Amino acid sequence: MTKILGIETTCDETGAAVVNSDRTVHSNVLASQVSLHEKYGGIVPELASREHFENLPFIVDEALKQANTKPHELDAIAIAKEPGLPPALSVGYSYASGLALSLNLPLIEVNHLEAHISAIWISPTHINLKEIPHPLLCLLVSGGHTELRLLSNSNNIKVIGRTRDDAAGEAFDKVARILGLSGYPGGPIIQKMASGGDEAAFNFPRPMIDSSDFDFSFSGLKTAVLREVEKYKGRDDVSAEVSNELKDFWVKDMAASFQEAVVEVLVDKTIKAADELGIEHIALAGGVSANQRLREVLGRACQENEFTLYYPDLEYCNDNAAMIAARGCELIGKE
Ligand code: KG4
Ligand code: ZN
């Protein structure tokens, strides 16, 4: 049995976790920088790296303490490497390599996107599964990436489709800003507004839904939302007394209609790819995999097509160090 300390600094979360190769998560500590970046409406890389630098020693200490683990009881350190914000990545890498050197431990470099898929492996929902079956088709949806990946096994990963412009999470974040919804990230805020709205209120485009490849595009959808906002601003009744109530309904309908368009494209293309490639096991991973509507629609489509669907429990959807350590556990056996 191996015990790994995972360190995550790819974006705006400083994370450290201790995970065993039997999939026990002993600790998973996260210092979120959301409040720091919120006022800028997005991540400021220089601020993020400074925060990582300051937080890391405390977060790592806390993760070891919560795991009741002494540094010499560790077998390795796993560090999240690309993709991510370069200044943030380099702070994490310097810290992790220094720590590994001082403790005389191997340093395992973990790909951030591969780790999102490993988040499924440590999720209590799937803990009774010996391992996630292969071949597996993974819809990987995060703030920086939207990809369809074909995994013949956990080390043979082929990207068969990707976004040509904005990532799905990025589209959620940008549309939240366009709709004047304060806070960051935008995905959970859109999801909350959408739950009170009508997804058929606006007929937004479903970009590339019928294309013959497995690629995506979300930038045109964002522009369609922007156009509706401009139309709305030109309406006579918007500045009248009813405007606040009208605005509330309107924003909820916009959020629901936008979310529905994104979900429909993601689900349609995933099912089409699984069908064409003859894959029966589907995984959903990355920050956007927390989206309830996406889980619901993809879940239904998988059921209808007799595919099995796996996704991480909510606590492991967004960037976290437990998934980095979990991927480290998978890799260490193969080094
Ligand atoms: O994987 P992640 O934590 O970080 C990256 O690697 O980018 O993903 C963050 C993205 C953000 O764009 C955020 O808005 C989105 O995931 N997200 C969601 C939800 N929760 C997080 N998008 C839609 N619905 C959600 N519930
Ligand atoms: Zn991520």
Coordinates of all heavy atoms in Angstrom, one line a residue, residues 191-226:
Q191 N -26.3 27.9 -12.8 CA -27.1 26.7 -12.5 C -28.2 27.1 -11.5 O -29.4 26.7 -11.6 CB -26.2 25.6 -11.8 CG -27.0 24.5 -11.2 CD -26.2 23.4 -10.7 OE1 -25.3 22.8 -11.3 NE2 -26.4 23.0 -9.4
K192 N -27.9 27.9 -10.5 CA -28.9 28.3 -9.5 C -30.0 29.2 -10.1 O -31.2 28.9 -9.9 CB -28.1 29.1 -8.4 CG -29.0 29.4 -7.2 CD -28.1 29.8 -6.0 CE -29.0 30.4 -4.9 NZ -28.7 31.8 -4.6
M193 N -29.6 30.1 -11.0 CA -30.6 31.0 -11.6 C -31.5 30.1 -12.6 O -32.7 30.3 -12.7 CB -29.9 32.1 -12.4 CG -29.2 33.1 -11.6 SD -30.1 33.8 -10.3 CE -31.0 35.1 -11.2
A194 N -30.8 29.2 -13.2 CA -31.5 28.4 -14.2 C -32.6 27.5 -13.6 O -33.6 27.2 -14.2 CB -30.5 27.5 -15.0
S195 N -32.4 27.1 -12.3 CA -33.4 26.2 -11.7 C -34.7 26.9 -11.5 O -35.7 26.2 -11.4 CB -32.8 25.7 -10.3 OG -32.8 26.8 -9.4
G196 N -34.8 28.2 -11.6 CA -36.0 28.9 -11.5 C -36.5 29.5 -12.8 O -37.5 30.3 -12.9
G197 N -35.9 29.1 -13.9 CA -36.2 29.6 -15.2 C -36.8 28.6 -16.2 O -36.8 27.4 -15.9
D198 N -37.2 29.1 -17.4 CA -37.8 28.2 -18.4 C -36.7 28.0 -19.5 O -36.3 28.9 -20.2 CB -39.0 28.9 -19.0 CG -39.6 28.2 -20.2 OD1 -39.1 27.1 -20.5 OD2 -40.5 28.8 -20.8
E199 N -36.3 26.7 -19.7 CA -35.2 26.4 -20.6 C -35.6 26.6 -22.1 O -34.8 26.6 -23.0 CB -34.6 25.1 -20.4 CG -35.5 23.9 -20.7 CD -36.2 23.4 -19.4 OE1 -36.2 24.0 -18.4 OE2 -36.8 22.3 -19.5
A200 N -37.0 26.7 -22.3 CA -37.4 26.9 -23.7 C -37.7 28.3 -24.0 O -38.2 28.7 -25.1 CB -38.7 26.0 -23.9
A201 N -37.5 29.2 -23.0 CA -37.8 30.7 -23.2 C -37.1 31.3 -24.4 O -37.6 32.1 -25.2 CB -37.6 31.4 -21.9
F202 N -35.8 31.0 -24.5 CA -35.0 31.5 -25.6 C -34.4 30.3 -26.4 O -34.0 29.3 -25.9 CB -33.8 32.3 -25.1 CG -34.3 33.6 -24.4 CD1 -34.5 33.5 -23.0 CD2 -34.5 34.7 -25.0 CE1 -34.9 34.6 -22.3 CE2 -34.9 35.9 -24.4 CZ -35.2 35.8 -23.0
N203 N -34.5 30.5 -27.8 CA -34.1 29.4 -28.6 C -32.6 29.6 -29.0 O -32.4 30.1 -30.2 CB -35.0 29.3 -29.8 CG -34.7 28.1 -30.7 OD1 -34.0 27.1 -30.2 ND2 -35.1 28.1 -31.9
F204 N -31.7 29.4 -28.1 CA -30.3 29.6 -28.5 C -29.7 28.6 -29.4 O -30.2 27.4 -29.4 CB -29.5 29.7 -27.2 CG -29.7 30.9 -26.4 CD1 -30.0 30.9 -25.1 CD2 -29.5 32.2 -27.0 CE1 -30.2 32.0 -24.3 CE2 -29.7 33.4 -26.3 CZ -30.1 33.3 -24.9
P205 N -28.7 28.9 -30.2 CA -28.2 27.9 -31.1 C -27.5 26.8 -30.4 O -27.1 26.9 -29.3 CB -27.1 28.7 -31.9 CG -26.8 30.0 -31.1 CD -28.1 30.2 -30.3
R206 N -27.4 25.6 -31.1 CA -26.7 24.5 -30.6 C -25.5 24.3 -31.4 O -25.5 23.5 -32.4 CB -27.6 23.2 -30.6 CG -28.5 22.9 -29.5 CD -29.4 23.9 -29.1 NE -30.3 23.5 -28.0 CZ -31.0 24.3 -27.2 NH1 -30.9 25.7 -27.4 NH2 -31.9 23.9 -26.3
P207 N -24.4 25.1 -31.2 CA -23.3 25.1 -32.1 C -22.7 23.7 -32.4 O -22.5 22.9 -31.4 CB -22.2 26.0 -31.5 CG -23.0 26.7 -30.4 CD -24.2 25.9 -30.0
M208 N -22.4 23.4 -33.6 CA -21.8 22.2 -34.1 C -22.5 20.9 -33.7 O -21.9 19.8 -33.8 CB -20.3 22.1 -33.6 CG -19.5 23.3 -34.1 SD -17.8 23.2 -33.8 CE -17.2 21.9 -34.8
I209 N -23.7 21.0 -33.4 CA -24.4 19.8 -32.9 C -24.5 18.7 -34.0 O -24.5 17.5 -33.7 CB -25.8 20.1 -32.3 CG1 -26.3 18.9 -31.4 CG2 -26.9 20.4 -33.4 CD1 -27.3 19.3 -30.4
D210 N -24.6 19.2 -35.3 CA -24.7 18.2 -36.4 C -23.4 18.0 -37.1 O -23.4 17.4 -38.2 CB -25.8 18.7 -37.3 CG -27.2 18.6 -36.7 OD1 -27.4 17.6 -36.0 OD2 -28.0 19.5 -36.9
S211 N -22.3 18.5 -36.6 CA -21.0 18.4 -37.4 C -20.6 16.9 -37.3 O -20.9 16.2 -36.4 CB -19.9 19.3 -36.8 OG -19.5 18.8 -35.5
S212 N -19.8 16.5 -38.3 CA -19.5 15.1 -38.5 C -18.3 14.7 -37.5 O -18.0 13.5 -37.4 CB -19.1 14.8 -39.9 OG -18.0 15.7 -40.2
D213 N -17.7 15.7 -36.9 CA -16.6 15.4 -36.0 C -17.1 15.4 -34.5 O -18.3 15.6 -34.3 CB -15.4 16.4 -36.1 CG -15.9 17.8 -36.1 OD1 -16.9 18.0 -35.4 OD2 -15.3 18.7 -36.7
F214 N -16.1 15.3 -33.6 CA -16.6 15.4 -32.2 C -16.1 16.7 -31.5 O -15.9 16.7 -30.3 CB -16.0 14.2 -31.4 CG -16.4 12.8 -32.0 CD1 -15.5 11.9 -32.3 CD2 -17.8 12.6 -32.3 CE1 -15.8 10.7 -32.9 CE2 -18.1 11.4 -32.9 CZ -17.2 10.4 -33.2
D215 N -15.9 17.7 -32.3 CA -15.5 19.0 -31.7 C -16.7 19.8 -31.2 O -17.8 19.5 -31.6 CB -14.7 19.8 -32.8 CG -13.3 19.3 -33.0 OD1 -12.9 18.4 -32.2 OD2 -12.6 19.7 -33.9
F216 N -16.3 20.8 -30.4 CA -17.3 21.7 -29.9 C -17.0 23.2 -30.2 O -15.9 23.5 -30.6 CB -17.4 21.6 -28.3 CG -17.6 20.2 -27.8 CD1 -16.6 19.3 -27.6 CD2 -18.9 19.7 -27.6 CE1 -16.8 18.0 -27.1 CE2 -19.2 18.5 -27.2 CZ -18.1 17.6 -26.9
S217 N -18.0 24.1 -30.0 CA -17.7 25.5 -30.1 C -18.7 26.2 -29.2 O -19.9 25.9 -29.4 CB -17.8 25.9 -31.6 OG -18.0 27.3 -31.6
F218 N -18.3 27.1 -28.4 CA -19.3 27.8 -27.5 C -19.2 29.3 -27.6 O -20.0 30.0 -27.0 CB -19.0 27.4 -26.0 CG -19.3 25.9 -25.8 CD1 -18.3 25.0 -25.6 CD2 -20.7 25.4 -25.8 CE1 -18.6 23.6 -25.4 CE2 -20.9 24.1 -25.6 CZ -19.9 23.2 -25.4
S219 N -18.3 29.8 -28.4 CA -18.2 31.2 -28.5 C -19.4 31.9 -29.2 O -19.9 33.0 -28.8 CB -16.9 31.6 -29.1 OG -17.0 32.5 -30.1
G220 N -20.0 31.2 -30.2 CA -21.2 31.8 -30.9 C -22.4 31.8 -29.9 O -23.2 32.7 -30.0
L221 N -22.5 30.9 -29.0 CA -23.6 30.8 -28.1 C -23.5 32.0 -27.1 O -24.5 32.6 -26.8 CB -23.5 29.5 -27.3 CG -24.5 29.1 -26.3 CD1 -25.9 29.2 -26.9 CD2 -24.3 27.7 -25.8
K222 N -22.3 32.3 -26.7 CA -22.0 33.4 -25.8 C -22.5 34.7 -26.6 O -23.1 35.6 -26.0 CB -20.5 33.5 -25.5 CG -20.1 34.6 -24.7 CD -18.6 34.6 -24.7 CE -18.0 34.9 -26.1 NZ -16.6 34.7 -26.3
T223 N -22.1 34.8 -27.9 CA -22.5 36.0 -28.6 C -24.0 36.1 -28.8 O -24.6 37.2 -28.7 CB -21.8 36.0 -30.0 OG1 -20.5 35.6 -29.9 CG2 -22.0 37.2 -30.8
A224 N -24.7 35.0 -28.9 CA -26.2 35.0 -29.0 C -26.8 35.5 -27.7 O -27.8 36.3 -27.8 CB -26.7 33.6 -29.3
V225 N -26.2 35.1 -26.6 CA -26.7 35.7 -25.3 C -26.5 37.2 -25.2 O -27.4 37.9 -24.9 CB -26.0 34.9 -24.1 CG1 -26.3 35.6 -22.8 CG2 -26.3 33.5 -24.1
L226 N -25.3 37.6 -25.7 CA -25.0 39.0 -25.7 C -26.0 39.8 -26.5 O -26.4 40.9 -26.1 CB -23.5 39.2 -26.2 CG -22.9 40.6 -26.0 CD1 -22.8 41.0 -24.6 CD2 -21.5 40.6 -26.6

